[in-house]
Amino acid sequence: MTADEERKRLHTWTCAVAAALGAEWSAEVHDGYAFRLRRADGLAFYVSSRRAPGRIQIALSLSVEEYRQRCRHYPPGERAPTPDLDVAFDRPAEPVARDIVRWLVPGAVAVWGMARVGLKERRRAVGRRNRLAREVGVILGDTAREPRTSESEVTYYLIYGDIRVTGEDAVRFDLRSVPRAAALRLAETIARVVREASGAALNAGEGVATGAERHLAGDHVIRWLAGVRSHVIKS
């Protein structure tokens, strides 16, 4: 059997399984030699005959972002297991559809649901991070170049280094070769802000600064930093 013949046979088989699963299921092309079974709500299974001759693998299909959220629950470098089903190529569509519903769908729905929840949480966190980055950008104004946005951070490049917004309540300052006068003013500002935040936390009986206080501290430092940049530019 040629590759094209095998592909056509797999396509026909996948369409038959989709029909046996019911009206809410459809078959679609995934890549050159694989297909997907997709349910109307978005749940999908990857269908491939690459694993072994005469066998078909049916496995949960996740988007790249969903799979990343899935991998968060496992140690770095460890591949997250994916619910799958291995069947013979000549197995009729009706019993395969029953096996999918009975054995594959329940576990797949649980994994897919966790991935979707994690993805929604991640998108909300990125949205909050980007809002903080926009606040930082407004404060910096023309003292910083256009920021670079990546999956993990938003970076503003300044004369003496850069500011990296890494989370919804996390701003990292990477400064280099700051002149003596500016460095002393920066140290004074940081010390004052830390004392204010620590005092507020202790008054609240917490012993550590809250998120809002850390945000306020970062805001003060950024404002000072913007002033220094403007002063250097004008001078």
Side-chain angles (χ1 to χ4, degrees):
M1 182 183 297
T2 66
D4 286 341
E5 289 173 340
E6 182 178 352
R7 181 179 182 275
K8 291 178 181 178
R9 182 185 178 193
L10 182 60
H11 183 217
T12 300
W13 187 90
T14 305
C15 290
V17 172
L21 284 168
E24 62 178 354
W25 289 86
S26 62
E28 60 184 37
V29 176
H30 173 67
D31 57 28
Y33 293 92
F35 299 88
R36 276 200 184 102
L37 289 166
R38 184 176 296 278
R39 200 167 66 178
D41 62 357
L43 177 67
F45 294 107
Y46 175 81
V47 181
S48 173
S49 59
R50 294 179 180 179
R51 173 173 287 186
R55 307 295 299 180
I56 296 178
Q57 181 193 19
I58 306 171
L60 175 64
S61 178
L62 299 174
S63 68
V64 174
E65 290 183 316
E66 289 171 341
Y67 186 73
R68 286 175 180 170
Q69 295 304 313
R70 167 79 169 146
C71 291
R72 290 178 56 204
H73 301 284
Y74 294 86
E78 181 176 327
R79 187 176 179 85
T82 301
D84 67 348
L85 190 66
D86 187 273
V87 300
F89 213 148
D90 57 0
R91 185 170 170 79
E94 288 75 14
V96 171
R98 289 195 295 268
D99 287 347
I100 290 174
V101 172
R102 182 178 181 183
W103 302 111
L104 194 53
V105 169
V109 166
V111 172
W112 181 54
M114 289 178 61
R116 293 180 72 192
V117 169
L119 182 57
K120 288 180 181 179
E121 292 175 350
R122 168 63 181 165
R123 287 174 175 169
R124 285 196 291 266
V126 169
R128 292 191 293 268
R129 181 205 68 185
N130 290 343
R131 283 195 293 273
L132 174 57
R134 287 193 293 271
E135 293 178 24
V136 171
V138 169
I139 294 170
L140 293 175
D142 60 1
T143 65
R145 289 183 291 173
E146 189 71 20
R148 179 177 62 85
T149 302
S150 67
E151 183 178 346
S152 59
E153 62 187 22
V154 179
T155 304
Y156 288 92
Y157 297 97
L158 307 167
I159 294 176
Y160 300 135
D162 45 65
I163 295 178
R164 300 174 185 269
V165 183
T166 58
E168 60 186 281
D169 187 34
V171 180
R172 173 181 171 184
F173 294 82
D174 291 327
L175 305 179
R176 297 174 292 276
S177 302
V178 180
R180 180 178 182 277
L184 292 176
R185 291 177 59 192
L186 175 60
E188 291 175 357
T189 301
I190 291 176
R192 183 177 68 254
V193 170
V194 168
R195 291 191 189 100
E196 292 173 355
S198 299
L202 290 174
N203 290 335
E206 298 177 5
V208 295
T210 65
E213 288 152 1
R214 287 195 299 270
H215 187 171
L216 180 61
D219 185 73
H220 282 321
V221 175
I222 293 170
R223 287 182 183 279
W224 174 88
L225 211 52
V228 173
R229 300 297 176 269
S230 298
H231 176 73
V232 171
I233 291 174
K234 291 175 183 178
S235 61

